Amino acid sequence: MSAVEQHHQKLQHFFKTEIVKASQAGDFSPCNGCNAKPTLTDLATIPQFNMPTSTIPLAIWSLALLFLISFGLAIITKRRVTQIGLADAQQVVV
């Protein structure tokens, strides 16, 4: 979330400065029908969002933990099923 907030601040700063530049050059007048038209070169200068790569190891550790929990539950289940099978196989003498 901090990366998203930083990118949002960069975008706000970028657009504020670009609007001021365009207004000072007479290229931007929103009160007269908003005749500002961005070009491809203008769009290429917009700050791009880059996702931090630190979330990938976190995902790997989460998956490893999920696998270990699943493996543990499978072992417990196998033991319980084996115990039930052994109990059914025993003869009860009355």
Side-chain angles (χ1 to χ4, degrees), residues 7-81:
H7 180 66
H8 183 241
Q9 290 173 357
K10 287 178 186 176
L11 285 175
Q12 286 178 330
H13 176 71
F14 172 80
F15 283 110
K16 284 178 186 176
T17 57
E18 290 301 312
I19 289 170
V20 168
K21 284 182 201 175
S23 180
Q24 290 172 347
D27 295 336
F28 184 70
S29 55
C31 296
N32 296 332
C34 193
N35 60 0
K37 296 178 183 165
T39 64
L40 292 177
T41 56
D42 293 333
L43 295 176
T45 60
I46 295 174
Q48 300 296 312
F49 180 72
N50 295 318
M51 183 68 173
T53 58
S54 63
T55 59
I56 292 173
L58 178 62
I60 291 172
W61 283 111
S62 298
L63 287 174
L65 180 62
L66 182 61
F67 176 75
L68 288 174
I69 290 171
S70 299
F71 186 71
L73 289 173
I75 290 174
I76 292 170
T77 303
K78 184 178 182 323
R79 286 184 182 169
R80 297 277 171 100
V81 168

